[in-house]
């Protein structure tokens, strides 16, 4: 693995989970609003604006923590939405952020960015593994528990999805 690929992987292991967390309101309520939880929005702001990216000027991070021009554009939009939310928060609490009028836009943009980032990472993984390691999509049963295409209990027609999103854990960037 090249040094550039190693840097990209090391940055993305921080950025992608934060973007996924921003796209997941139940996670935000369950984790960020729990005073005993380690994670909070400070971690999000540090990751996206200071430590592993610059959501205000994401072009500098193309090839460092962002894989494509589309990710750069969406990261800039996410940064603007986070800055808009920050402008509405008088006491800088996580609960206040989640109540701002700008927060639904943060979640929407983060959802789009998360989808693009995960797809780009999966594409990179497929390229690294080669075509022989990537199964033909028609051979994969949705909602399966094994290779047979059947769910536990033998129901092969039931489709379920239960994504779980998490992230690692002073804000007011603007």
């Amino acid at each position: 693995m090249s040094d550039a690929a190693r840097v990209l992987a090391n940055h993305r292991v921080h950025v992608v989970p934060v973007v996924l967390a921003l796209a997941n309101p139940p996670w935000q309520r369950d984790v960020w609003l729990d005073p005993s939880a380690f994670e909070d929005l400070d971690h999000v702001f540090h990751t996206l604006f200071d430590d592993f990216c610059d959501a205000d000027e994401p072009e500098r991070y193309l090839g460092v923590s962002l894989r494509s021009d589309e990710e750069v554009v969406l990261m800039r939009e996410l940064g603007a939405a986070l800055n808009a939310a920050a402008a509405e928060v008088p006491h800088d609490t996580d609960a206040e952020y989640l109540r701002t009028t700008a927060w639904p836009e943060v979640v929407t943009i983060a959802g789009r960015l998360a989808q693009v980032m995960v797809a780009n990472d999966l594409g990179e993984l497929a390229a690294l593994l080669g075509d022989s390691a990537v199964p033909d999509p028609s051979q994969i049963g949705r909602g399966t528990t094994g290779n047979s295409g059947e769910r536990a209990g033998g129901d092969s027609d039931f489709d379920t999805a239960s994504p779980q999103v998490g992230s690692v854990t002073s804000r007011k960037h603007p």
Side-chain angles (χ1 to χ4, degrees):
M1 175 183 275
S2 73
D3 287 343
R6 193 175 326 283
V7 167
L8 184 63
N10 286 336
H11 276 67
R12 286 179 81 86
V13 79
H14 296 280
V15 174
V16 172
V18 165
V19 173
L20 288 167
L22 282 170
N24 189 332
W27 170 267
Q28 296 161 12
R29 288 186 301 273
D30 291 348
V31 176
W32 295 342
L33 300 182
D34 180 354
S36 67
F38 178 70
E39 294 181 42
D40 58 18
L41 270 168
D42 281 341
H43 173 72
V44 169
F45 277 83
H46 282 295
T47 299
L48 297 181
F49 288 95
D50 303 322
D51 300 336
F52 299 99
C53 194
D54 180 353
D56 289 324
E57 296 180 26
E59 298 80 9
R60 303 182 301 133
Y61 283 84
L62 183 59
V64 177
S65 59
L66 304 173
R67 288 193 189 278
S68 69
D69 290 332
E70 184 178 16
E71 288 182 9
V72 169
V73 168
L74 289 168
M75 183 61 74
R76 179 180 290 288
E77 290 178 19
L78 182 57
L82 285 166
N83 287 331
E88 293 183 43
V89 178
H91 300 102
D92 198 32
T93 68
D94 292 357
E96 287 176 326
Y97 273 88
L98 301 184
R99 288 191 304 263
T100 65
T101 60
W103 200 254
E105 185 71 6
V106 169
V107 172
T108 299
I109 295 167
R112 278 189 255 139
L113 179 55
Q115 183 178 18
V116 171
M117 293 182 92
V118 169
N120 287 343
D121 285 351
L122 291 174
E124 181 67 18
L125 180 61
L128 288 171
L129 295 174
D131 290 337
S132 63
V134 180
D136 181 341
S138 66
Q139 295 176 347
I140 300 172
R142 293 187 61 179
T144 62
T145 58
N147 292 332
S148 69
E150 289 189 9
R151 287 178 39 84
D155 182 3
S156 62
D157 293 327
F158 190 72
D159 188 32
T160 61
S162 58
Q164 199 170 17
V165 178
S167 69
V168 189
T169 289
S170 350
R171 148 170 74 236
K172 279 285 185 179
H173 179 279

